[in-house]
């Protein structure tokens, strides 16, 4: 594992990870579909900037700080307890949320800090226990990193222990692409 604290930001090329290999377009998670109906401007951004973020000391400190700040600011609570129904993706403006809500807030903060939306990708994974989960993938020149509400540690995607299923396309915020094609979808989706 590489430097994971705000002060240990240096990543040598020997420790750089390969980026995720994505496949073709796939179904959008139902929660994201519903989120997009309420927030259409957030789901129609087409990006031509496909250059990953360059890892610098300031970028690394920013990623670690945002991950830690949001993890501490939001109290975990499932959608049913908050909204009375499953799969509601929303900003945790009321201080509570589930994994997708943490992801949306981290993404919003990093966009506000100047990172490209094409490098901040909502990602659906399967945890080792088989449960579905969402994380934020940050594309960089040193590989793809994951910001996760289950840990304050920013990790390379291939060091998480998760099985990666799909994520937002880097060129369109309303499109989703497969990862490691051939695995079954994890969350309800719109065909």
């Amino acid at each position: 594992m590489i430097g994971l604290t705000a002060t240990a930001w240096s990543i040598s090329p020997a420790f750089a990870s390969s980026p995720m290999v994505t496949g073709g377009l796939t179904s959008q998670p139902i929660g994201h579909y519903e989120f997009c109906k309420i927030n259409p401007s957030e789901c129609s951004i087409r990006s031509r900037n496909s250059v990953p973020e360059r890892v610098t000391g300031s970028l690394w400190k920013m990623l670690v700080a945002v991950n830690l700040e949001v993890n501490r600011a939001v109290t975990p609570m499932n959608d049913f307890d908050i909204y009375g129904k499953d799969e509601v993706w929303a900003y945790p403006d009321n201080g509570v949320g589930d994994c997708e809500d943490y992801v949306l807030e981290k993404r919003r903060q990093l966009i506000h800090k100047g990172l490209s939306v094409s490098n901040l990708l909502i990602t659906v994974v399967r945890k080792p226990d088989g449960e579905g989960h969402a994380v934020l993938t940050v594309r960089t020149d040193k590989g793809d990193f994951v910001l996760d509400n289950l840990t304050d540690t920013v990790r390379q995607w291939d060091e998480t222990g998760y099985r990666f299923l799909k994520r937002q396309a880097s060129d369109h915020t309303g499109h989703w692409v497969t990862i490691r094609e051939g695995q079954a979808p994890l969350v309800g989706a719109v065909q």
Side-chain angles (χ1 to χ4, degrees):
M1 205 173 291
I2 59 167
L4 301 171
T5 65
T7 56
W9 61 268
S10 180
I11 303 171
S12 74
F15 292 105
S17 174
S18 296
M20 286 180 208
V21 176
T22 58
L25 290 175
T26 191
S27 57
Q28 179 181 23
I30 188 69
H32 189 251
Y33 173 79
E34 295 294 330
F35 174 81
C36 291
K37 285 183 2 185
I38 296 167
N39 304 281
S41 64
E42 292 199 33
C43 301
S44 59
I45 301 168
R46 295 175 188 253
S47 179
R48 294 177 189 221
N49 175 14
S50 63
V51 177
E53 299 292 333
R54 187 172 161 272
V55 176
T56 63
S58 60
L59 174 67
W60 190 252
K61 288 177 186 177
M62 181 190 312
L63 295 179
V64 170
V66 166
N67 192 54
L68 183 62
E69 178 183 313
V70 174
N71 285 355
R72 291 190 176 163
V74 178
T75 301
M77 188 178 289
N78 68 50
D79 288 331
F80 195 81
D81 290 339
I82 300 169
Y83 304 105
K85 59 183 180 175
D86 292 326
E87 286 303 304
V88 176
W89 292 26
Y91 288 108
D93 293 334
N94 58 0
V96 296
D98 67 358
C99 58
E100 298 94 0
D101 306 336
Y102 284 83
V103 169
L104 288 168
E105 182 60 28
K106 291 173 188 182
R107 185 173 172 271
R108 175 167 66 177
Q109 288 190 23
L110 290 169
I111 290 168
H112 181 73
K113 293 178 183 292
L115 272 63
S116 171
V117 70
S118 68
N119 293 324
L120 301 170
L121 307 171
I122 304 169
T123 307
V124 174
V125 301
R126 188 178 304 278
K127 297 187 318 188
D129 66 3
E131 185 180 351
H133 186 49
V135 297
L136 181 64
T137 297
V138 181
R139 294 175 57 234
T140 79
D141 63 345
K142 300 295 183 191
D144 295 337
F145 289 90
V146 169
L147 281 64
D148 188 348
N149 68 299
L150 299 180
T151 180
D152 291 335
T153 303
V154 175
R155 298 178 288 181
Q156 292 175 332
W157 75 278
D158 55 358
E159 293 181 343
T160 62
Y162 296 147
R163 208 167 91 197
F164 286 74
L165 302 175
K166 57 182 161 181
R167 75 177 190 195
Q168 283 180 299
S170 61
D171 63 349
H172 192 295
T173 55
H175 292 169
W176 286 69
V177 293
T178 59
I179 303 168
R180 297 181 183 171
E181 290 184 66
Q183 295 178 354
L186 176 62
V187 295
V190 176
Q191 294 296 329

